[in-house]
Amino acid sequence: MIRVVSRKKYIISLILAVVITLGTCLGGLVLLLGLNPVKAVSWVKFLTALRFIETQYVNEVDETKLLNGALSGMVQSLGDPHSIYLDKTMYKSLMQHTEGTFGGVGIVMGFKDNKVMIISVMDGPPGKEAGLQAGDEIIAVDQKPVVEMQPEEVALKVRGEAGTNVVLTIKRNEESKDYILTRGIIQAKTAAGEMLPEQIGYIRIASFSENTGKEFKEAYAQLEEQGMKGLIIDLRENPGGL
């Protein structure tokens, strides 16, 4: 006797098989990624939110921009001013800076008490030529307040490809003014020295790049030739680098 299985039972069996297969695959993925149930739920929440925004937001959204925003938010939630997520553009800018040559406006910035101050302005364009001065406070970059950014992000936004523009909102003597600057190629000399009275050598290291070691060695050798008896290494307002 041949037993005929109803179509309804067949469909139910098929659905159960699919559910069991998916459950097994998801369970294996959770174990493979080292996720516990709590972390797995967090991932589901994240993906659900991402999908909801993609499908329900009134305008079309950029998936790459959404993901970069999520990653940046995770790093910022650490509350660590020295940790920052770099997207492709910001990472490229950072690498150019550490090579000692980059696109920028020719200023050295200092970060203290949630303020961004111009410590010094290099001779020539674009910063000096535009009228920027040491002691100026940068309160926004391209209209975005610096208080909403981490120090590294401010520095990377000021830098950029040579020939492109950046708008710095400068506060000076309680007055604010926008400066539109065209970035140029900045040859950053990170270490320089001079001889102080009583044969005391002085070397200032403004930041760290690929050329810092070589520049320091050259400055040190010159001071030794001049009869240096002691040495001061100045790292004040050095933001770091490579």
Side-chain angles (χ1 to χ4, degrees):
M1 183 177 67
I2 298 175
R3 185 176 180 182
V4 180
V5 180
S6 68
R7 184 177 180 183
K8 182 177 180 181
K9 288 183 178 180
Y10 175 77
I11 293 175
I12 293 174
S13 299
L14 183 61
I15 291 174
L16 286 174
V18 170
V19 170
I20 292 172
T21 302
L22 286 175
T24 302
C25 291
L26 289 174
L29 183 62
V30 167
L31 292 174
L32 183 64
L33 296 176
L35 301 177
N36 57 37
V38 175
K39 289 183 178 180
V41 170
S42 297
W43 271 102
V44 172
K45 287 172 63 178
F46 172 78
L47 295 174
T48 301
L50 178 65
R51 186 57 183 163
F52 182 82
I53 293 172
E54 289 176 338
T55 58
Q56 301 300 319
Y57 187 63
V58 63
N59 296 321
E60 186 176 349
V61 295
D62 185 327
E63 291 183 3
T64 300
K65 189 174 181 180
L66 278 180
L67 183 58
N68 283 333
L71 294 172
S72 178
M74 281 191 282
V75 177
Q76 289 184 18
S77 70
L78 299 174
D80 178 10
H82 305 294
S83 297
I84 182 174
Y85 168 74
L86 303 177
D87 60 23
K88 184 178 179 179
T89 301
M90 294 174 67
Y91 180 76
K92 180 180 178 181
S93 178
L94 176 64
M95 289 300 98
Q96 289 175 337
H97 176 64
T98 58
E99 292 169 358
T101 302
F102 57 93
V105 298
I107 60 175
V108 177
M109 295 176 288
F111 304 90
K112 189 175 182 181
D113 300 328
N114 294 321
K115 290 185 178 181
V116 181
M117 307 298 297
I118 296 179
I119 305 301
S120 63
V121 183
M122 301 176 188
D123 290 332
K128 193 86 169 181
E129 206 172 69
L132 298 182
Q133 301 176 9
D136 286 346
E137 180 183 355
I138 301 175
I139 59 177
V141 181
D142 286 334
Q143 310 304 321
K144 183 175 181 178
V146 298
V147 294
E148 297 178 5
M149 297 183 277
Q150 295 173 278
E152 291 86 352
E153 186 178 358
V154 175
L156 291 173
K157 283 188 175 295
V158 172
R159 295 194 290 268
E161 186 177 349
T164 58
N165 291 339
V166 61
V167 179
L168 299 184
T169 304
I170 300 296
K171 183 178 179 182
R172 182 188 303 164
N173 299 326
E174 303 304 321
E175 294 185 0
S176 299
K177 179 182 176 180
D178 286 341
Y179 288 78
I180 302 176
L181 301 134
T182 301
R183 298 180 179 95
I185 295 295
I186 306 299
Q187 299 288 343
K189 187 173 179 62
T190 58
E194 63 176 305
M195 187 67 78
L196 301 178
E198 302 182 15
Q199 297 302 103
I200 301 298
Y202 170 88
I203 299 179
R204 162 71 173 156
I205 303 178
S207 63
F208 293 99
S209 74
E210 288 184 356
N211 299 321
T212 301
K214 179 182 176 182
E215 292 168 359
F216 180 88
K217 185 177 180 180
E218 291 173 351
Y220 187 90
Q222 292 173 2
L223 292 171
E224 272 196 322
E225 290 176 0
Q226 299 174 42
M228 175 175 60
K229 296 180 179 179
L231 176 65
I232 296 171
I233 300 176
D234 188 354
L235 297 173
R236 291 175 298 176
E237 305 297 341
N238 184 323
L242 186 65

